Amino acid sequence: GGLIIPAMGLADMIAKGRIAVLAYGKCLSTCTLLLAASPSAVVTPSARIVFHRPTSALSGQTGDTAEIAIAVAAWHARYREYGLPPRAVEIMAHRETWAPGLGALAELGMIKFVLDGQPPRLIPARAWCQDHIAACGPTAPQGRQ
């Protein structure tokens, strides 16, 4: 979690610097934006990625409705800029929370690798999901859900 205005700046630095981001356990709020910004996003098999609407986080930072609307639009624009398909951003914008499976995230191009095995190794996310269908969940959403 965190403050979304500074988080957008950090995400921009991750994207520009082509920095790898690793998500393990729960990845919520700001974590999802940082993961999306990374061109080499990595998750562990137990990672749970959960998007939520940023309005609740912003309402504690500002009471100005217009300022909130501008920040929310910028937040969603960052996801599109980092390559999340418009249909996924639309779903994220219209649900209080959205927790797609690793298979959907791999198909959407948001996660690139899964860190798995002993010793741990990076496996391309789509290939890992082909071998671990039960762990990956449903594939990417089609249209608005």
Side-chain angles (χ1 to χ4, degrees):
L3 303 174
I4 73 166
I5 303 299
M8 288 190 283
L10 180 57
D12 290 343
M13 289 190 315
I14 287 170
K16 190 175 191 175
R18 305 194 52 76
I19 297 168
V21 172
L22 169 65
Y24 59 93
K26 288 183 182 178
C27 176
L28 310 154
S29 195
T30 297
C31 177
T32 62
L33 184 68
L34 302 182
L35 195 63
S38 175
S40 301
V42 180
V43 297
T44 60
S46 62
R48 181 154 164 78
I49 313 304
V50 182
F51 299 88
H52 71 80
R53 287 189 281 187
T55 52
S56 59
L58 277 169
S59 61
Q61 297 172 40
T62 179
D64 184 345
T65 306
E67 193 174 328
I68 290 172
I70 291 168
V72 168
W75 182 259
H76 292 144
R78 287 298 195 297
Y79 281 101
R80 288 188 295 275
E81 181 181 321
Y82 300 143
L84 202 61
R87 70 183 183 277
V89 176
E90 184 178 336
I91 291 168
M92 178 179 57
H94 288 93
R95 291 189 181 177
E96 192 62 35
T97 61
W98 177 47
L102 296 184
L105 294 168
E107 192 173 306
L108 291 168
M110 186 169 160
I111 61 171
K112 308 302 188 286
F113 300 98
V114 175
L115 183 65
D116 194 17
Q118 289 299 330
R121 60 189 171 97
L122 289 176
I123 303 163
R126 288 183 181 183
W128 189 89
C129 282
Q130 287 175 346
D131 292 339
H132 299 86
I133 294 170
C136 282
T139 58
Q142 300 299 315
R144 187 174 174 192
Q145 291 185 355

